[in-house]
Amino acid sequence: MKKDFIQDPVFPECPIRNVLARIGNKWTLAALYTLNKNESPMRFRDIAAANPDCSQKMLTQTLRGLEADGLIVRTVYPEMPPRVEYALTERGKSFMPVMQQLMDWAYNNLHAIVTDRERFNRN
């Protein structure tokens, strides 16, 4: 089995859990949002600057995972010093409406969720 295949120990044959394991990561959504918002290829340092609370190591791992899944493309330009840019692929772009719906839902329900959490924690 490939090392990038994320296998759920309880449901190893479930393809949805495999994909959601990558998409459900908060840095994955942040990186995709940043690339989509910019609408043009971005350099690593620019993605990092837009997500200052993400460590360089975590951002590197996230971008590699997104590249492995075909959601982004990494282009290396043969210059000195080398220039590397990241951009959404068509698959990555096709995920943006789904991600936007999730973000809209979270925004519209945030206050009610926080209120329910506080009530739950008081009991």
Side-chain angles (χ1 to χ4, degrees):
M1 184 171 301
K2 292 178 131 185
K3 71 175 187 163
D4 286 334
F5 188 82
I6 303 165
Q7 187 174 43
D8 184 277
V10 179
F11 300 100
E13 301 303 318
C14 182
I16 294 173
R17 290 173 188 257
N18 184 288
V19 172
L20 290 180
R22 179 89 73 201
I23 298 299
N25 179 303
K26 74 176 179 176
W27 299 120
T28 294
L29 295 178
L32 290 171
Y33 176 81
T34 300
L35 287 167
N36 186 58
K37 182 177 160 191
N38 196 58
E39 296 183 3
S40 61
M42 294 181 74
R43 296 184 75 167
F44 182 92
R45 71 172 190 269
D46 297 323
I47 300 168
N51 298 282
D53 51 338
C54 183
S55 71
Q56 182 175 343
K57 178 183 176 183
M58 195 77 242
L59 183 56
T60 298
Q61 289 175 351
T62 299
L63 293 173
R64 283 183 183 156
L66 290 170
E67 183 182 12
D69 288 352
L71 295 168
I72 66 169
V73 63
R74 179 179 182 263
T75 305
V76 180
Y77 295 92
E79 303 171 348
M80 282 310 228
R83 179 170 50 110
V84 178
E85 292 181 340
Y86 298 88
L88 292 174
T89 62
E90 288 306 312
R91 182 179 302 144
K93 290 175 185 175
S94 74
F95 178 65
M96 291 303 101
V98 176
M99 191 172 96
Q100 188 62 54
Q101 284 184 311
L102 176 61
M103 291 169 50
D104 292 345
W105 182 89
Y107 180 80
N108 291 330
N109 288 279
L110 175 64
H111 295 296
I113 289 170
V114 169
T115 299
D116 288 343
R117 282 181 190 166
E118 290 170 349
R119 184 179 19 244
F120 181 83
N121 288 330
R122 281 194 301 264
N123 295 331

